[in-house]
């Protein structure tokens, strides 16, 4: 029998037993919280996210292979369960590392440590991991990874047979060079360099085996890869042989597939080729060239056609072809990137600039589809077109250190340095001979004699200087690179002949006609016009009045009451201003049609020309320049007016304003202008030597 009091004590004991039971067997979630497993999981995930984000930003800039990033991701994911297991079994306490227990009591002490020792150990672990990744990521030595000679491959154009595969002749140079480059120890020679040397050896459309081996030695390759692409109905066969430059065959491969999936055939060909030369213990890598180009056969065909036009500097044709490629596949990053380059070369003014910026944004949007090499180029162009020139130059310099044989990127760097010296107005640049000024471009020409853009500034400088020997050298290189006489070659040669014989009015008019009537769509045509327009204008102005009159009358007759091209208008107005025909020049300048034809800056430059030439007081133009917000032109006008008045105080004030303006806009030119103004002040004060 249980009494009333016994019921209470029993209930209390049962409640106590339930409490003890619940405390002795906590839920799994409670144990996760108590052992800090959830906290460790959150902290690990946050740290891993930060590390991967930083790596994603830094690795492309340092040209670190995507494979390294993949390893980092795998290691990070693999470490997650390890961290959770360690958090479950062990606790970090002030006394040391203790075993975690299920019931919350103090666990056994596993290891003692000191705080300094733990910090040092953590740092050592981080350093060890970083060193391991760096050692893994470093370039492998060529010896042992692949067969001797296969470490540097020159991919030659493939022969094509059948309908629809013609574009794959040179196209295989692009596709296979991109596929094989940086696979383990393998490097491929830049396609531009290979195709340039190939064109020098072609005789009746044929290159002999001996010439091919000579080409390989010429570009410092260890081996050459060439073969054929054959179309039979809807199928395509790619066959090729890899020979060392001494003639030893290293591999022979043949792969078949559907033409609609030709890139998969290229991939399987690449893998089969590697299997025959691979000596590394690592597995042969797989390829997916479609991922870095496009899976659309129409897009790849258009892209490869565009590459052929691009290499021959046929900018308009290249732009059309690359445009077709992005129409077929809007995510085609390489085609977007090439559209940027063709737009910048075409010389179409504001419209081309807008196209370049738009395509740069699209290329950058899909940049993650590209390998490290092409990704770096897209990044550099994106930085440049967004006004981050210093970062773009640093990116290109780092690229050249890794790929010194790329003639196009070498040209960008050399060309940037050339323009930077001109903008800085460096005295040493002015004192250097024409040959010295253009010598850096010779490095590009040695790499790729067919890269005609590298001839633009050498031809421009030798034409302006009247250097016969130098001009003959560079025009000869241009003629060797061009398949036939182009408008650019005709413009250069006619202008040079006219400048050598300025008294021959008929020859001068022929040169003027080429400049004024020039079409922009031909290879280097607008660059030739830009090189010729100033020296021809100076030559016309320098003629005696009687000899000059036919040229001036011809320029005005070409105007014919309508708005001329910007180049024609600029030349005509310069001649009229320089020869004192101010009223006629002013009437033409005020025509609304001309105002709509010229860019605002060009119009203001022509407006200030009478004051630049000293016909009128520069102060008369200050209202125009101030109204248009063009502070630079206003400074020039003020300086000229002050010089005409020999007003030392006004000249000094302009110098101070120019320095301030230069600091604001970050342009060294205005500092140079201030130095010139100070020189005039010193000369006016009687110190002619210091002033000069």
């Amino acid at each position: 029998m249980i009494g009333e009091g016994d019921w209470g004590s029993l209930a209390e004991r049962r409640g106590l037993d339930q409490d003890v039971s619940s405390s002795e067997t906590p839920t799994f979630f409670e144990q996760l919280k108590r052992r800090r497993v959830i906290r460790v999981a959150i902290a690990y995930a946050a740290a891993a996210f930060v590390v991967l984000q930083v790596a994603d930003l830094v690795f492309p800039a340092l040209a670190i292979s995507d494979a390294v990033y993949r390893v980092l991701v795998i290691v990070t994911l693999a470490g997650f369960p390890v961290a959770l297991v360690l958090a479950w079994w062990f606790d970090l306490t002030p006394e040391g590392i203790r075993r975690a227990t299920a019931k919350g009591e103090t666990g056994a002490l596993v290891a003692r440590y000191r705080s300094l020792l733990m910090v040092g150990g953590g740092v050592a672990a981080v350093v060890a991991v970083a060193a391991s990744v760096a050692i893994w990521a470093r370039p492998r030595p060529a010896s042992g990874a692949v067969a001797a000679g296969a470490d540097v491959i020159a991919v030659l154009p493939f022969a094509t047979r059948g309908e629809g595969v013609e574009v794959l002749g040179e196209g295989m140079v692009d596709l296979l060079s991109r596929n094989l480059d940086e696979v383990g120890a393998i490097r491929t020679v830049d396609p531009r360099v290979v195709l340039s040397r190939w064109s020098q050896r072609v005789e009746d459309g044929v290159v002999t085996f001996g010439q091919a081996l000579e080409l390989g030695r010429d570009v410092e390759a260890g081996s050459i890869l060439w073969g054929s692409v054959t179309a039979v109905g809807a199928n395509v066969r790619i066959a090729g042989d890899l020979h060392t430059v001494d003639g030893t065959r290293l591999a022979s491969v043949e792969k078949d597939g559907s033409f609609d999936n030709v890139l998969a055939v290229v991939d399987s060909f690449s893998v089969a080729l590697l299997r025959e030369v691979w000596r590394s213990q690592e597995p042969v890598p797989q390829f997916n060239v479609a991922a870095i180009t496009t899976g659309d056969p129409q897009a790849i065909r258009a892209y490869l056609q565009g590459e052929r036009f691009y290499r021959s500097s046929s900018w308009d044709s290249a732009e059309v072809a690359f445009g077709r490629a992005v129409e077929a596949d809007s995510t085609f990053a390489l085609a977007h990137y090439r559209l940027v380059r063709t737009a910048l070369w075409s010389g179409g003014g504001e419209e081309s600039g807008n196209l370049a910026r738009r395509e740069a944004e699209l290329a950058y949007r899909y940049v993650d589809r590209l390998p490290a090499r092409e990704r770096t180029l897209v990044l550099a162009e994106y930085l440049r077109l967004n006004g981050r020139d210093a970062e773009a130059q640093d990116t290109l310099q780092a690229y050249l250190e890794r790929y010194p044989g790329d003639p196009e990127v070498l040209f960008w760097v050399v060309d940037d340095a050339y323009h930077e010296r001109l903008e800085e107005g460096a005295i040493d640049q002015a004192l250097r001979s024409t040959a010295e000024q253009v010598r850096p471009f010779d490095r590009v020409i040695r790499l790729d004699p067919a890269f005609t853009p590298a001839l633009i500034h050498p031809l421009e400088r030798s034409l302006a200087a009247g250097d016969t020997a130098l001009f003959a050298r560079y025009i000869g290189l241009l003629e060797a690179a061009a398949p036939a006489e182009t408008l650019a070659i005709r413009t250069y040669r006619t202008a040079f002949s006219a400048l050598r014989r300025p008294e021959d009015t008929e020859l001068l008019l022929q040169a003027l006609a080429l400049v004024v009537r020039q079409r922009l769509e031909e290879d280097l045509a607008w660059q030739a016009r830009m090189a010729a327009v100033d020296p021809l204008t100076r030559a016309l102005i320098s003629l005696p009045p009687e000899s000059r009159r036919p040229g001036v009358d011809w320029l005005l007759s070409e105007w014919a009451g309508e708005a001329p091209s910007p180049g024609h208008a600029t030349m005509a107005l310069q001649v009229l201003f320089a020869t004192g025909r101010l009223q006629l020049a002013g009437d033409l300048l005020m025509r609304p049609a001309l105002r709509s034809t010229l860019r605002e800056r060009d119009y203001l430059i022509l407006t200030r020309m009478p004051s630049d030439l000293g016909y009128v007081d520069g102060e008369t133009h200050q209202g125009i320049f101030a109204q248009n917000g063009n502070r630079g032109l206003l400074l020039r006008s003020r300086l000229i007016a002050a010089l005409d008045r020999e007003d030392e105080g006004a000249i000094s004030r302009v110098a101070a304003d120019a320095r301030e303006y230069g600091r604001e806009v970050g342009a060294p030119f205005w500092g140079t202008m201030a130095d010139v103004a100070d020189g005039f002040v010193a000369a006016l004060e009687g110190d002619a030597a210091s002033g000069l």
Side-chain angles (χ1 to χ4, degrees):
M1 297 288 296
I2 300 175
E4 186 176 342
D6 294 330
W7 278 111
S9 60
L10 180 61
E12 289 176 1
R13 284 198 302 273
R14 287 181 175 175
L16 180 60
D17 291 341
Q18 288 175 357
D19 289 343
V20 171
S21 175
S22 63
S23 65
E24 289 177 349
T25 57
T27 66
F28 179 68
F29 182 72
E30 289 172 340
Q31 290 223 44
L32 289 178
K33 289 176 63 179
R34 191 184 61 75
R35 295 173 186 248
R36 299 185 179 88
V37 175
I38 296 176
R39 186 182 304 177
V40 169
I42 294 172
Y44 187 97
F49 176 78
V50 171
V51 169
L52 293 177
Q53 287 296 308
V54 171
D56 189 45
L57 292 172
V58 172
F59 281 18
L62 299 178
I64 296 176
S65 170
D66 289 346
V68 181
Y69 186 79
R70 287 195 293 272
V71 169
L72 185 61
V73 172
I74 292 170
V75 170
T76 304
L77 293 175
F80 185 69
V82 175
L84 298 186
V85 170
L86 291 175
W88 177 271
W89 284 107
F90 300 102
D91 287 331
L92 294 179
T93 69
E95 295 83 14
I97 301 176
R98 291 184 177 275
R99 281 288 302 271
T101 62
K103 299 180 180 180
E105 64 269 16
T106 302
L109 188 64
V110 177
R112 296 182 182 275
Y113 62 81
R114 294 180 180 177
S115 299
L116 183 60
L117 184 61
M118 284 297 291
V119 172
V123 171
V126 171
V127 171
V129 171
S132 300
V133 172
I135 291 171
W136 190 90
R138 77 186 192 282
R140 269 67 167 182
S143 58
V146 291
D151 51 322
V152 181
I153 300 175
V155 182
L156 308 185
F158 277 39
T160 58
R161 305 182 187 92
E163 186 176 350
V165 295
E166 299 83 4
V167 72
L168 289 175
E170 289 187 7
M172 294 300 290
V173 183
D174 291 300
L175 295 175
L176 288 174
S177 294
R178 182 172 291 116
N179 238 11
L180 297 172
D181 192 43
E182 294 197 316
V183 175
I186 295 176
R187 297 293 180 269
T188 56
V189 181
D190 188 272
R192 284 202 78 111
V193 175
V194 170
L195 291 168
S196 173
R197 300 298 197 278
W198 176 270
S199 64
Q200 294 174 349
R201 291 170 171 80
V202 172
E203 297 176 7
D204 299 325
V206 176
V207 173
T208 66
F209 182 62
Q211 290 174 318
L213 295 177
E214 180 188 4
L215 186 157
R217 292 189 291 270
D218 189 22
V219 298
E220 300 180 354
S223 56
I224 59 170
L225 173 61
W226 66 339
S228 62
V229 181
T230 305
V232 180
N235 295 323
V236 64
R237 169 174 294 174
I238 299 177
D241 296 319
L242 182 70
H243 290 87
T244 65
V245 292
D246 62 6
T248 303
R249 179 181 292 177
L250 296 177
S252 183
V253 178
E254 187 174 289
K255 287 295 175 180
D256 298 328
S258 167
F259 183 78
D260 289 339
N261 200 14
V262 68
L263 295 182
V265 186
V266 174
D267 288 339
S268 61
F269 178 90
S270 303
V271 172
L273 178 73
L274 276 180
R275 285 202 180 102
E276 295 202 29
V277 299
W278 200 248
R279 300 291 181 269
S280 172
Q281 294 182 351
E282 298 178 8
V284 174
Q286 296 297 310
F287 299 99
N288 186 8
V289 74
I292 61 173
T293 52
T294 175
D296 189 300
Q298 297 302 320
I300 191 60
R301 184 183 285 112
Y303 172 78
L304 294 176
Q305 288 172 341
E307 284 290 280
R308 294 183 63 184
F309 289 128
Y310 185 86
R311 277 192 286 264
S312 65
S313 302
S314 302
W315 315 122
D316 273 7
S317 299
E319 186 174 314
V320 171
F322 291 133
R324 291 201 307 270
V326 296
E327 284 178 9
D329 182 356
S330 62
T331 66
F332 195 171
L334 280 176
H336 284 299
Y337 167 68
R338 280 307 199 202
L339 273 172
V340 176
R341 299 305 309 161
T342 52
L344 293 175
W345 279 120
S346 65
E350 185 176 353
E351 182 178 349
S352 294
N354 291 335
L355 173 62
R357 282 185 287 274
R358 183 175 69 248
E359 294 300 321
E361 291 286 345
L362 291 170
Y364 188 70
R365 180 183 304 173
Y366 305 116
V367 73
D368 59 335
R369 297 167 176 260
L370 300 175
R373 184 168 183 168
E374 283 76 12
R375 192 184 306 167
T376 304
L377 297 179
V378 171
L379 174 62
E381 203 63 80
Y382 178 81
L383 292 171
R384 185 198 300 265
L385 289 172
N386 282 276
R388 298 158 66 180
D389 291 342
E391 294 175 72
Q393 289 178 10
D394 289 345
T395 302
L396 292 177
Q397 287 287 2
Y399 176 94
L400 274 183
E401 291 175 7
R402 190 168 179 84
Y403 310 106
D406 190 323
E408 185 172 4
V409 176
L410 177 59
F411 170 77
W412 297 355
V413 173
V414 169
D415 192 58
D416 283 346
Y418 174 85
H419 284 285
E420 187 175 336
R421 286 194 297 268
L422 290 182
E423 290 173 5
E424 289 176 352
I427 294 176
D428 66 323
Q429 174 78 352
L431 296 177
R432 294 164 68 203
S433 68
T434 302
E436 288 178 303
Q437 293 180 41
V438 301
R439 186 168 294 136
F441 294 100
D442 290 340
R443 294 168 53 202
V444 183
I445 296 167
R446 280 195 297 271
L447 275 176
D448 182 3
F451 188 52
T452 52
L455 298 168
I456 293 172
H457 290 309
L459 283 166
E460 173 191 355
R461 299 303 304 153
S462 59
L463 186 67
D467 190 324
T468 303
L470 207 59
F471 180 82
R473 174 173 178 253
Y474 289 117
I475 197 68
L477 289 170
L478 180 59
E479 289 173 333
E485 184 181 71
T486 62
L487 178 58
I489 292 175
R490 196 159 69 252
T491 301
Y492 281 124
R493 283 207 169 277
T494 305
F496 192 75
S497 298
L499 293 172
R500 291 185 64 192
R501 291 182 288 168
E503 71 284 351
D504 188 336
T505 307
E506 184 176 345
L507 186 58
L508 182 60
L509 288 178
Q510 290 177 13
L512 291 173
L514 282 173
V515 169
V516 168
R517 298 169 177 169
Q518 190 176 105
R519 303 185 306 278
L520 296 181
E521 60 268 16
E522 290 196 27
D523 168 25
L524 300 185
W526 73 272
Q527 289 95 340
R529 180 182 68 80
M530 293 297 292
V533 64
D534 283 345
L536 287 175
T537 303
R538 288 196 299 270
L540 180 58
I541 292 170
S542 302
L543 291 175
E546 290 303 316
S547 301
R548 184 173 60 221
R549 185 171 295 111
V552 177
D553 291 343
W554 179 85
L555 282 174
L556 295 176
S557 67
E558 286 287 304
W559 197 306
E562 299 295 331
S565 68
H568 182 191
T570 300
M571 177 181 285
L573 290 168
Q574 284 177 334
V575 172
L576 291 175
F577 281 133
T579 55
R581 300 173 69 173
L582 302 183
Q583 186 61 50
L584 177 57
D587 291 343
L588 294 173
L589 194 60
M590 292 301 108
R591 290 186 179 181
L594 178 65
R595 184 71 180 267
S596 62
T597 299
L598 296 174
R599 293 182 303 175
E600 185 67 23
R601 179 175 175 80
D602 293 335
Y603 181 78
L604 291 173
I605 288 173
L606 288 170
T607 302
R608 73 151 197 253
M609 197 168 288
S611 63
D612 281 358
L613 296 171
Y615 284 117
V616 297
D617 189 334
E619 299 286 354
T620 60
H621 293 85
Q622 290 192 29
I624 297 176
F625 300 145
Q627 181 180 0
N628 284 273
N630 199 310
R631 189 171 164 191
L633 291 178
L634 177 58
L635 282 169
R636 288 181 56 132
S637 179
R638 285 176 54 201
L639 178 59
I640 291 170
L643 290 171
D644 285 343
R645 297 193 306 270
E646 299 184 10
D647 186 336
E648 298 172 23
I651 297 173
S652 296
R653 287 192 293 275
V654 173
D657 291 344
R659 284 197 175 88
E660 180 186 354
Y661 182 54
R663 286 191 294 269
E664 289 178 9
V665 299
F669 168 81
W670 299 104
T672 304
M673 175 176 160
D675 292 340
V676 171
D678 289 341
F680 275 109
V681 171
L684 289 171
E685 290 176 346
D687 188 355
S690 175
L692 289 174

